Amino acid sequence: VFAEHQINVGDLITMYPCDVLALDNPNGGMRFYRADGKDLLQTVANMYIAYLCKVEGTRMAIAGDPNKYCAAACAHIINDGAYIDKHDFGLDEAMRYTEKSYHTQNCHFVSLADCCMVAIATKVIQKDQELLAGYGAEFWGHIAKRGMV
């Protein structure tokens, strides 16, 4: 995702769409629901794993459909400026990822009212500059374990 105009620090950039809701299962794993509240087949839910965004302070995460794009709700396709490509990484690799990701980020995902996620600019972002946010080492380890990196 690239900036269509200059974005200033603190500006709301875009929203994180909610095509799928995922709830932590107390017995482990997650249960996925469509936006209309109906269960989502696990095979379909798997395609949303890489697009999940944990809602801070809750046991839920939201995911946007990677095949949909709308400038007002495209936070789910903002990239991370760094990644880890193995699930059994050590502290040194996690620290390298964290440092690189931190230095490339120009926006963060923020929870609004515990039910909506948005992307907020943390640096001035120039027109045509790519938007980058940190996903966290745990995210990359989970994705690598599934063979999705």
Side-chain angles (χ1 to χ4, degrees), residues 38-118:
K38 295 181 180 173
D39 280 345
L40 196 64
L41 294 172
Q42 188 61 46
T43 52
V44 176
N46 285 339
M47 86 172 208
Y48 289 98
I49 295 290
Y51 297 92
L52 282 177
C53 185
K54 180 82 171 139
V55 179
E56 298 280 330
T58 72
R59 60 182 198 96
M60 71 177 176
I62 59 174
D65 185 335
N67 298 311
K68 293 181 182 176
Y69 175 83
C70 167
C74 63
H76 64 304
I77 55 176
I78 292 175
N79 288 323
D80 189 335
Y83 66 93
I84 297 174
D85 60 0
K86 56 186 177 180
H87 72 279
D88 58 346
F89 59 89
L91 181 59
D92 288 344
E93 186 153 1
M95 295 299 289
R96 278 192 299 277
Y97 158 79
T98 300
E99 183 175 350
K100 183 174 182 182
S101 180
Y102 174 79
H103 289 295
T104 60
Q105 292 173 35
N106 52 23
C107 62
H108 285 285
F109 300 123
V110 177
S111 174
L112 295 180
D114 292 334
C115 66
C116 176
M117 298 298 289
V118 297

Side-chain angles (χ1 to χ4, degrees), residues 17-39:
C18 183
D19 297 306
V20 171
L21 176 67
L23 297 176
D24 286 333
N25 185 337
N27 300 325
M30 299 187 99
R31 181 105 186 229
F32 292 84
Y33 301 91
R34 297 187 331 199
D36 63 8
K38 295 181 180 173
D39 280 345

Side-chain angles (χ1 to χ4, degrees), residues 126-148:
Q126 301 300 324
K127 182 179 192 272
D128 298 325
Q129 185 178 352
E130 185 173 11
L131 304 178
L132 297 169
Y135 296 176
E138 184 178 339
F139 169 86
W140 288 109
H142 182 73
I143 294 299
K145 190 173 188 175
R146 291 176 163 269
M148 299 172 73

